[in-house]
């Protein structure tokens, strides 16, 4: 009879953890960037975020996927609009207020894509 294996701790690279947390890795504290993150640590960060994480989520800088979501467009739409790097919340709000033609166009493209996806799902 074999004895049960001890439970191994699942870990991930800081890049993966930052992506799952929706923050830019380069904006995180050095100790977060230097080590590995266990699944339990990630769950703890998500359920009770420390001040640095709450501040990053609130003010940025935000990674592309978060910027795109906040603007209501795709990541490809960001690139077409000339946005290639991270933006802060203030910069995102400024873009929303300006509402340039490219942003309006990308929002309409995204709305059409959502309608089509919903139509296909209902078939």
């Amino acid at each position: 009879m074999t004895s049960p294996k001890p439970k191994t701790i699942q870990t991930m690279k800081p890049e993966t953890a930052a992506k799952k947390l929706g923050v830019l890795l380069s904006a995180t504290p050095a100790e977060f960037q230097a080590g590995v993150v266990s699944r339990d640590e990630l769950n703890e960060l998500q359920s009770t975020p420390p001040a640095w994480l709450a501040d990053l989520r609130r003010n940025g800088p935000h990674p592309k996927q978060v910027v795109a979501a906040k603007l209501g467009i795709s990541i490809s739409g960001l690139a077409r609009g000339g946005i290639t790097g991270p933006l802060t919340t203030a910069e995102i709000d400024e873009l929303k207020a300006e509402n340039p033609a490219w942003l309006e166009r990308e929002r309409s493209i995204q709305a059409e894509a959502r309608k089509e996806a919903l139509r296909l799902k209902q078939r």
Side-chain angles (χ1 to χ4, degrees), residues 51-63:
W52 65 264
L53 181 56
D55 186 52
L56 274 179
R57 285 178 167 169
R58 186 175 36 260
N59 301 319
H62 303 289

Side-chain angles (χ1 to χ4, degrees), residues 32-102:
F32 181 84
Q33 294 178 31
V36 294
V37 180
S38 72
R39 174 62 64 186
D40 292 337
E41 290 170 334
L42 179 69
N43 291 340
E44 180 68 23
L45 286 170
Q46 288 174 326
S47 63
T48 54
W52 65 264
L53 181 56
D55 186 52
L56 274 179
R57 285 178 167 169
R58 186 175 36 260
N59 301 319
H62 303 289
K64 287 188 288 189
Q65 67 269 18
V66 174
V67 173
K70 285 180 178 272
L71 291 173
I73 63 176
S74 67
I75 294 174
S76 299
L78 277 179
R80 286 190 292 268
I83 307 295
T84 57
L87 297 178
T88 63
T89 301
E91 291 168 328
I92 293 169
D93 291 343
E94 191 177 304
L95 258 177
K96 284 180 179 179
E98 288 174 9
N99 201 22
W102 69 265

